[in-house]
Amino acid sequence: MDVQPWETDIVQANGWRWEPSPVFQSYAAYTPMLDRMNAEHLEGNRTADFVLLNFSAIDGRHPFLETPFSWRALLDRYDLSLSAAGWLLLQHRSQRRYGPLARLGDSTAHWDEDVPVPRAGGLLVMAPRISPGLAGKVASLLFRSSAVYVDAVFSSGEKVHCRCVPRNLGAGFLIYPFPMNLPELAPLFLPDPYPAPPDHIITVRFHADKPGEFIPEIPIAWFVLPPAAGQ
């Protein structure tokens, strides 16, 4: 049993055998290397048979914007076994759910600039590259970099403001669909194709408390996440 994102005391309380990811508290996987380590574990043959999952993060983050590589691996290799209040019980699947990312196109954003989200058949992945400038590199050495946020507008008009882990975003996070709670997340772990959500993100913008710490241009790669062959 593994528990995501961090409440591992449940394992000991129930006498389960713990098979954790290398960084077993996902909020601490704050670099691409750490995120990739967890993803490779979830995709490997030593991962847990079951994962007890809730949909939470610290510091106002959205889970997808915290460890995107690990989330894609989790969605790829686990099925929903049981749903309960506040938790999903996932079971490892022998076959991949998704194939390799298929490049859709590229665009460039700037800080506090609306970026239209393209529509594509299937699941859409957004991979922005947020790079520190000289001031940001100095700040990260002496203290820490400025906070970075993703502001999104849904087709219903709803707006969300989420903190992210900027260095990890380049791995590519799922933006269509973009669940905001556990009931919206659960269908992504079902064997049937994910139904088109009635509400979806139409624009995104990136905001930093101190944008001068970062390169002004934010290159974005867009991908479609297709079903694996035979799915």
Side-chain angles (χ1 to χ4, degrees):
M1 176 69 74
D2 190 5
V3 179
Q4 298 282 348
W6 59 70
E7 295 181 1
T8 56
D9 55 335
I10 294 176
V11 175
Q12 184 174 2
N14 287 277
W16 298 328
R17 183 167 63 86
W18 189 29
E19 188 63 55
S21 299
V23 185
F24 62 89
Q25 295 172 314
S26 62
Y27 61 82
Y30 52 85
T31 70
M33 182 187 72
L34 296 175
D35 186 19
R36 183 180 290 272
M37 282 173 54
N38 276 2
E40 290 176 349
H41 173 80
L42 292 167
E43 293 171 338
N45 56 14
R46 298 189 62 185
T47 189
D49 295 327
F50 293 92
V51 171
L52 192 61
L53 172 74
N54 66 18
F55 200 49
S56 57
I58 66 170
D59 294 339
R61 300 175 185 171
H62 186 284
F64 282 11
L65 304 178
E66 188 174 58
T67 51
F69 206 167
S70 298
W71 268 102
R72 290 215 323 271
L74 195 65
L75 292 167
D76 188 37
R77 299 311 300 268
Y78 283 86
D79 287 328
L80 179 63
S81 179
L82 181 66
S83 178
W87 295 93
L88 300 179
L89 179 64
L90 309 177
Q91 185 171 7
H92 187 254
R93 54 184 286 139
S94 58
Q95 301 296 322
R96 292 184 177 275
R97 176 178 277 113
Y98 300 111
L101 291 174
R103 193 108 179 196
L104 182 65
D106 299 271
S107 60
T108 301
H110 298 84
W111 295 101
D112 296 304
E113 173 185 81
D114 285 338
V115 180
V117 175
R119 293 301 304 274
L123 307 185
L124 182 66
V125 171
M126 180 183 191
R129 296 283 181 181
I130 297 176
S131 302
L134 178 58
K137 293 176 181 178
V138 172
S140 65
L141 286 174
L142 298 178
F143 182 52
R144 62 181 177 182
S145 299
S146 170
V148 174
Y149 302 88
V150 173
D151 295 329
V153 179
F154 284 78
S155 54
S156 64
E158 179 185 0
K159 299 179 180 180
V160 297
H161 177 73
C162 305
R163 191 169 180 173
C164 64
V165 181
R167 287 183 290 181
N168 287 359
L169 296 187
F173 62 90
L174 192 64
I175 193 169
Y176 179 86
F178 193 77
M180 293 300 297
N181 52 52
L182 202 65
E184 293 179 4
L185 173 69
L188 280 167
F189 291 102
L190 294 175
D192 298 328
Y194 188 86
D199 200 11
H200 56 274
I201 292 177
I202 55 174
T203 62
V204 170
R205 67 167 54 195
F206 298 97
H207 172 79
D209 289 341
K210 297 178 181 179
E213 292 185 2
F214 301 93
I215 301 297
E217 292 79 21
I218 305 172
I220 302 171
W222 301 93
F223 301 89
V224 172
L225 185 59
Q231 294 294 312

